[in-house]
Amino acid sequence: MSLPSADDLFRPTADPTPPQTGDHASPDSPDAPGAAPDRAPDGAPGAPADDRGAGSAGEPADPAATPRARRGAARPSGRVRHDEKMTVYITSEELLAIEHARLALRSGHGLAVDRGRLVREAVAMVLADFEADGEDSALVRRLTRE
């Protein structure tokens, strides 16, 4: 049994180079014709279709025996890949308030959200209020107080 290399674990999601064809592609490379796909039909990464449920690599043969299966079906996290990034500096009190809100959402409402999503939702709410109420919005009131 061999363990995957770092290149196998940390490969890019989109290959920027065109696949190799012809004499340059080795029969073992994932780009070779007839090579096994990166994802098996059941969604297991890197597992060939023939090995599904076989219990190879230390995995139980019965998928219901896994801790995740016992907990129930996994819900999507709601995380979305974003193309743009903006850095904002905040005070330690503001960061603690964001963390407190995040933990309150998790404990009181069962919502596991990261700080980025929490901030994006708050910004969306403020901008919607500003668009709907204009000068009477909470954003204008708060910014004119300063």
Side-chain angles (χ1 to χ4, degrees), residues 89 91 94 138-146:
Y89 292 91
T91 66
E94 291 166 332
L139 178 64
V140 172
R141 286 194 312 267
R142 286 184 64 109
L143 291 175
T144 54
R145 278 194 312 197
E146 293 180 357

Side-chain angles (χ1 to χ4, degrees), residues 5 9 11 15 19 35 38 44 46 49 52 56-57 63 72 76 90 105 112 115 122 126 144:
S5 68
L9 293 174
R11 63 178 175 250
D15 189 11
D38 283 344
R52 282 189 313 228
S56 61
I90 60 176
L105 285 168
R115 292 184 297 200
V126 168
T144 54

Side-chain angles (χ1 to χ4, degrees), residues 12 20 38 45-46 50 52 73 77 83 85 88 97 124 130 132 134-135:
Q20 296 178 352
D38 283 344
D50 297 339
R52 282 189 313 228
S77 67
D83 296 330
K85 179 179 180 179
V88 177
F130 175 65
E135 273 191 47

